[in-house]
Structure formats: C-alpha cells, structure tokens
Amino acid sequence: MYVHLHVHSHFSFGIGVSSPDALAEAAARRGFRALACTDTNGVYGAVEFQRACTAAGIRPILGARLESDGQEVVALAADERGWAALCRAITEIHWGDPRSLSKILATDREGLLLLSRNPEFLAETVRLSGRQNLYAELRPGSCRHETRALARRLGLPVVATNGVVAANPEEWSRHRLLRAIALNTTLSALPASELWPQRAWLCPASELSRHFPDCPEALRAAEEIAGA
C-alpha cells in the first residue's frame, strides 16, 4: 500500500500545521500502515512522532526535508547509520556550511534514501556520489512532467509524494495563516508562491493515485522505499 514519505508536522515552523498525534491518527484512520515525518532542517519532533505512531499502530519512518543554498531533498533514515548521517547534515546546515547539500551528503549518506525534485541537487549528486538510493520526487501538478523527464535523462527512479503540510484538508487555512506570520505579512499580501497547495494533506492512497495515472511505478516506489 502507498506510504506518505514527505510529511511536515507542526515542528516545521511556519509550514506544517498538524501535531504528530494528529498525523498518526489520520494515517491510521485512512488505513496506512506506515508514515514518514520529514520536518524542515530538523528532527525536533522525532520522539513525539515515534510515540504517536506506536500508539496508533503505525510504523514510523524518520527523516527530514533538508533545504540549503537553493537545494532541497527529503532524506529518510533507513537505519542507524542513516540517522547519524541525517543528524550530521542538519548540524552542517545550521552551522552555515557553505557547501551545497549535494556536497555535504556526497561522502556521508550511507543509510539514507534521498528524494528530490531539485534539478541542481539531482544532477550534482549523481556526479559526486552516484545514483544509489537517489530518487526523483514527483508531486502532483504540471511540474512533475519536468521532473520525470529529468529523471529519465539522469537514469533515476521516480517516487510519488504529496508534500504534506496538514493531516486534514480543512486545516490548509491554518497553513496559510502560518505562512503569513512567518513572512511577517498580511493574508491579502501573501504571495501564492509562498503557499503549499491545498491538496497537500494526508490524503488517502486512492486520492493521490488520481494525480499519477501515467506513472504507477512512482506510487509503487513509495511502498518499496517504506519497506527499506
């Protein structure tokens, strides 16, 4: 069954709106057996998320969305080595390492599964450290076609995500409010480019599959990654 691998809790300050408990409960209610937590440049909610998933009968997948110097990647820890590499990468980002994300991870990504739709990150990572455990991330919307074409050129597998920022669809208005607060602006002046899509909630697998009728392999890849 499909697994959401790119999920923000309210520990992604200014982006995510739902608590780990709310995300785990929603996942269980919709029949998911596993769920990832990938907050931005931090693992602040990892313990709370793991406890919430255990209570809800969901297998937790720990990771983070790393963002630095114009590059972005969702990094998932497959084991203890991956967790250590993830924590080191986050530390480098917060210490202001001038290197790009692909260079930070080039020699230190053992045990990590990397998902990205950033062309620069994907191309540079392939060049520096190869294709192993590297995936092109497809999110709903027209931009996914460009990412899929890039994946073909680079010889990378694709994986479908939804870039979740809320457990339920009605919570998107709170995301909009948080973005306005984070950017110190009003709701009316908030640029649309600063908002995550209204579809960015923990939707059922059947709902998400409608956005990927032409690439079922991207949905299957999410299951395979979760299994790893």
Side-chain angles (χ1 to χ4, degrees), residues 99-119:
R99 295 176 297 166
S100 64
L101 274 179
S102 46
K103 289 179 179 176
I104 290 173
L105 293 168
T107 59
D108 190 17
R109 64 181 182 97
E110 191 173 2
L112 285 177
L113 302 170
L114 304 178
L115 290 57
S116 180
R117 61 176 187 171
N118 182 271

Side-chain angles (χ1 to χ4, degrees), residues 96-223:
D97 192 312
R99 295 176 297 166
S100 64
L101 274 179
S102 46
K103 289 179 179 176
I104 290 173
L105 293 168
T107 59
D108 190 17
R109 64 181 182 97
E110 191 173 2
L112 285 177
L113 302 170
L114 304 178
L115 290 57
S116 180
R117 61 176 187 171
N118 182 271
E120 181 184 351
F121 177 85
L122 290 172
E124 192 172 37
T125 299
V126 168
R127 180 174 62 83
L128 293 174
S129 57
R131 298 176 177 83
Q132 185 176 8
N133 293 331
L134 180 63
Y135 297 80
E137 180 190 11
L138 304 184
R139 297 187 213 168
S142 58
C143 290
R144 73 179 179 82
H145 299 294
E146 297 174 13
T147 306
R148 194 180 185 195
L150 175 64
R152 290 195 187 102
R153 291 197 299 272
L154 295 175
L156 294 173
V158 293
V159 59
T161 79
N162 198 31
V164 172
V165 297
N168 304 295
E170 62 271 16
E171 295 175 299
W172 185 83
S173 59
R174 189 145 41 106
H175 162 72
R176 183 167 172 258
L177 178 61
L178 287 176
R179 294 304 298 142
I181 294 171
L183 296 170
N184 194 27
T185 188
T186 63
L187 290 173
S188 59
L190 182 63
S193 60
E194 293 291 343
L195 293 170
W196 290 56
Q198 287 186 276
R199 60 175 173 266
W201 59 284
L202 202 66
C203 62
S206 57
E207 172 71 18
L208 187 62
S209 64
R210 294 194 303 105
H211 296 284
F212 300 97
D214 55 335
C215 46
E217 71 276 13
L219 296 165
R220 289 195 300 270
E223 300 177 43

